[in-house]
Amino acid sequence: MTDTTISRSIETVLKIVNDISPRIASAYQTTTRNELILVGGAALFSVYNLVQYIKDKSTAKYYLPPRVPFALPLVGHSLYLLWDSNQFIDWCAKKYGEVYEISIMGKIVTVASGLSGQEALKADTDFLSLEEGVIKDVLYLQYAIDKTTFEIGFYVNPVVAKAVISHKKVPRHTEGILKGMDAGFKNLLPATDSFVLKDPNHFFQRLIAHMSVPTLIGKEVGDNATVIESFAAFTADVTDNIPIFMSVPVVFHRFITPYLQSFKRHRVIMSKFIAPVVESRRQAADAAKLKGETYKAEDDFLQGLLEFVKPDGTNYTADQVAQATLLVAFASVHTTATNLAFCAYWIVSRPDIKQAILEEIESVVGKDINTELTYEHFENMPYLDKVIRESVRQGADVLAVGKKCLKTFTFSNGYQVPAGRVVETTNRRLNMGLSANRVDISEMDPLESGSRPPTTASRDYVTFGMGKHLCPGRFFAVLEIKLTIIQLLRQYDITPSTSSPAHPVKLIGGFMATNSSAPIRFTKRKL
Ligand code: HEM
């Protein structure tokens, strides 16, 4: 375009504006408030439809799954999810099949259930990425940690977890977990014979941190209250900011993040306390090597991280390793605490289940609460295994995972997901099938999973994921949950603090599962 064409176009636009602006001003003065609201609403609706039309045109070349109709402007299908997500998801699956598109707060997402749901869960990260999806787009974890920590968290932590807390290695953490639990009980519970725990979530998260810090991070900081508190609180500090980030456009985030850096302190704490541990372990290993002695390395996650060799043959620095422990906390504390809470609330809500677990504990460990627990004890508690598996199964999100499509993804039925779109899987429906709607507490049946252990994934048990990215921390998480339930029930009777039953699973936004936060009464068992 030449300069003259541009200036002519500008002149024409200005003329049109000059012509119509007095007319707009006079129309505005003579129009009533209701008419203005109506016109404004209609304009908004048209803009919304125009945006959808443009978006639809840009994806016309794909073989897209059916789009569920009846989306409302701006909120899409969110209100239906909020109202009764299980029923809405059932209705969509019946009407549109395994894969379909819905709009959540105006954003189109692909929902995959059945076989397609399994395919989405198993997909390679080159196609469907958790890191680029919920982790960066919803949790904005990139504001809390730097690029190297991200790299360690997503590419090194899975390798280390598979090596350090595998099914075979996890029994050796029993003693450390029990020690941490004892300290947790002492630090977090009142010494009185009977009390009501008003904030059980705080207790469960801190307890998990007490058990995990000595076993995952290291004995050296096993009773360091600052590290334990930071390990427990990191995830909550990240997630607390979500509503703020969601309500402010992404371009403005960099202006507000400096004021929302509650998570910054965790980086400082890890550098201060964990980096010296890394240095001193490395120095001890070097000194032993110089003297020709064998160095007895620790057997924890931190050791796995500090020994990890990068493709260029070097190790991560002490500070980088220290920062990376925050991502161990991120992967483990909230997930394990929530599932421990689900289990505890089922036990609180179902006295029959509690009684059956107690009988099993007494038959395996005996009645004396001073008898020390061993790994062999709880290997022989099949009923408790079933309760844990069923609680974890029931606690799945209705719509889960939120992986972002990085390259066109094609399901085996031919339907496609274009790059940039988020894929949600119907985990609760995958787990529970047609009984996903079941909400009555009395209908929870621990025997439903048969004899499969709580760490074995299957088509109807996807809470730990599926395929290549199946959670490598599940053996450790289940060990912590199991030990906690046994010790809690040996020492206390746990009951609801009010007459209304605590519903173990609650849904945020209608589709994200979280545990009840109802207070729990603890009554010390007599010796
Ligand atoms: C009940 C507790 C837990 C639940 C429900 C859970 C859930 C999950 C899920 C669903 C995934 C798969 C994500 C995907 O599809 O990409 C996953 C991956 C992962 N989890 Fe867990 N997790 C739990 C505990 C833990 C613990 C205790 C640790 C470590 C100490 C851990 C470490 C990891 C790691 C490193 C990955 C990434 C695996 C990979 O990408 O290959 N998790 N977890």
Side-chain angles (χ1 to χ4, degrees):
M1 234 196 265
T2 62
D3 278 0
T4 15
T5 339
I6 295 170
S7 61
R8 226 178 284 135
S9 311
I10 293 172
E11 274 168 25
T12 317
V13 171
L14 285 175
K15 189 169 175 309
I16 294 170
V17 170
N18 282 338
D19 280 357
I20 62 166
S21 54
R23 274 187 264 160
I24 293 174
S26 110
Y28 178 76
Q29 276 153 11
T30 54
T31 312
T32 65
R33 193 166 160 265
N34 285 349
E35 282 167 337
L36 277 175
I37 291 173
L38 198 70
V39 171
L44 195 67
F45 194 64
S46 311
V47 171
Y48 172 76
N49 281 334
L50 185 68
V51 171
Q52 290 300 333
Y53 173 77
I54 294 167
K55 281 187 185 164
D56 288 351
K57 272 211 87 112
S58 69
T59 54
K61 59 182 178 202
Y62 298 101
Y63 179 51
L64 294 178
R67 170 93 42 100
V68 175
F70 313 120
L72 303 168
L74 302 178
V75 291
H77 297 96
S78 309
L79 289 184
Y80 311 130
L81 286 170
L82 203 60
W83 185 256
D84 190 338
S85 56
N86 283 318
Q87 244 184 51
F88 176 64
I89 294 298
D90 275 355
W91 177 81
C92 292
K94 219 160 115 195
K95 202 112 176 115
Y96 301 100
E98 274 188 0
V99 196
Y100 46 87
E101 294 178 345
I102 62 170
S103 154
I104 300 182
M105 294 311 287
K107 197 171 162 190
I108 299 298
V109 301
T110 303
V111 178
S113 55
L115 189 64
S116 306
Q118 293 172 36
E119 287 170 8
L121 287 170
K122 289 179 187 168
D124 204 280
T125 36
D126 288 349
F127 287 91
L128 299 185
S129 162
L130 186 73
E131 180 185 350
E132 296 302 323
V134 68
I135 302 284
K136 284 190 177 168
D137 278 1
V138 179
L139 302 176
Y140 295 103
L141 191 61
Q142 66 275 30
Y143 299 155
I145 54 171
D146 61 29
K147 239 174 118 200
T148 312
T149 313
F150 242 96
E151 175 189 302
I152 305 177
F154 284 87
Y155 301 101
V156 181
N157 279 359
V159 180
V160 174
K162 280 174 197 154
V164 176
I165 46 174
S166 62
H167 179 48
K168 226 167 106 192
K169 294 245 175 112
V170 103
R172 63 186 73 167
H173 295 295
T174 309
E175 204 190 318
I177 293 178
L178 284 169
K179 244 180 167 167
M181 192 192 316
D182 278 350
F185 279 9
K186 221 176 271 159
N187 293 340
L188 302 165
L189 297 177
T192 48
D193 283 351
S194 174
F195 55 90
V196 171
L197 204 62
K198 291 216 172 72
D199 186 359
N201 283 337
H202 183 272
F203 167 67
F204 290 128
Q205 282 177 12
R206 266 65 194 168
L207 184 66
I208 293 295
H210 272 83
M211 293 189 274
S212 305
V213 167
T215 43
L216 293 179
I217 306 308
K219 282 189 216 131
E220 299 92 328
V221 285
D223 53 5
N224 181 321
T226 314
V227 173
I228 291 173
E229 175 56 25
S230 175
F231 203 78
F234 177 67
T235 309
D237 278 352
V238 171
T239 51
D240 277 356
N241 291 325
I242 296 174
I244 303 172
F245 289 132
M246 280 177 89
S247 49
V248 175
V250 176
V251 284
F252 297 122
H253 283 186
R254 64 200 168 99
F255 300 114
I256 57 168
T257 33
Y259 303 99
L260 299 172
Q261 293 274 16
S262 51
F263 34 68
K264 208 174 176 176
R265 69 188 170 95
H266 303 291
R267 293 204 295 254
V268 176
I269 289 169
M270 295 305 156
S271 292
K272 182 171 171 195
F273 294 106
I274 313 283
V277 176
V278 177
E279 301 272 21
S280 89
R281 286 190 189 183
R282 280 180 173 160
Q283 279 161 11
D286 289 346
K289 203 169 158 193
L290 266 179
K291 284 193 218 154
E293 291 170 359
T294 341
Y295 172 67
K296 170 106 183 52
E298 293 296 335
D299 199 6
D300 49 32
F301 212 104
L302 189 72
Q303 190 68 26
L305 285 175
L306 72 89
E307 282 179 5
F308 185 85
V309 182
K310 291 191 277 178
D312 66 3
T314 62
N315 299 116
Y316 287 105
T317 65
D319 198 50
Q320 286 168 337
V321 172
Q323 297 296 317
T325 57
L326 286 175
L327 279 192
V328 181
F330 189 78
S332 62
V333 174
H334 182 72
T335 47
T336 314
T338 306
N339 281 281
L340 167 61
F342 285 142
C343 198
Y345 277 107
W346 280 116
I347 291 169
V348 165
S349 316
R350 287 281 301 272
D352 57 326
I353 293 180
K354 183 169 64 181
Q355 187 53 34
I357 301 175
L358 261 175
E359 281 167 18
E360 185 171 77
I361 294 173
E362 283 179 5
S363 77
V364 177
V365 194
K367 284 197 172 184
D368 184 355
I369 63 168
N370 293 316
T371 306
E372 261 186 42
L373 265 191
T374 63
Y375 191 78
E376 288 67 40
H377 278 136
F378 65 80
E379 260 196 321
N380 294 314
M381 295 194 186
Y383 184 75
L384 179 54
D385 274 340
K386 291 179 206 305
V387 175
I388 294 176
R389 185 173 169 111
E390 196 55 20
S391 319
V392 172
R393 203 166 150 247
Q394 298 246 1
D397 293 329
V398 176
L399 290 181
V401 187
K403 294 187 177 181
K404 194 181 222 166
C405 184
L406 303 183
K407 281 199 270 203
T408 308
F409 179 74
T410 308
F411 290 102
S412 60
N413 58 15
Y415 282 131
Q416 292 186 304
V417 188
R421 189 157 290 176
V422 165
V423 177
E424 300 278 358
T425 47
T426 57
N427 280 17
R428 187 169 159 87
R429 202 165 194 279
L430 284 168
N431 280 2
M432 312 282 297
L434 288 175
S435 41
N437 271 318
R438 226 168 40 176
V439 285
D440 201 311
I441 292 171
S442 64
E443 286 178 305
M444 193 282 209
D445 179 9
L447 305 183
E448 226 170 70
S449 285
S451 56
R452 285 171 294 179
T455 46
T456 304
S458 63
R459 275 175 303 167
D460 63 352
Y461 188 65
V462 301
T463 313
F464 287 113
M466 268 189 134
K468 230 185 355 201
H469 297 286
L470 175 64
C471 175
R474 65 194 187 284
F475 303 104
F476 189 82
V478 167
L479 179 62
E480 286 189 330
I481 294 173
K482 208 166 170 181
L483 287 175
T484 307
I485 296 296
I486 297 172
Q487 292 298 65
L488 258 185
L489 289 186
R490 287 176 85 201
Q491 298 185 27
Y492 296 95
D493 184 21
I494 51 172
T495 48
S497 78
T498 61
S499 54
S500 50
H503 210 296
V505 185
K506 292 191 302 188
L507 293 175
I508 303 175
F511 58 89
M512 267 179 287
T514 189
N515 56 279
S516 165
S517 49
I520 301 176
R521 175 172 293 284
F522 283 60
T523 311
K524 255 203 179 122
R525 288 192 190 282
K526 298 272 174 287
L527 283 173

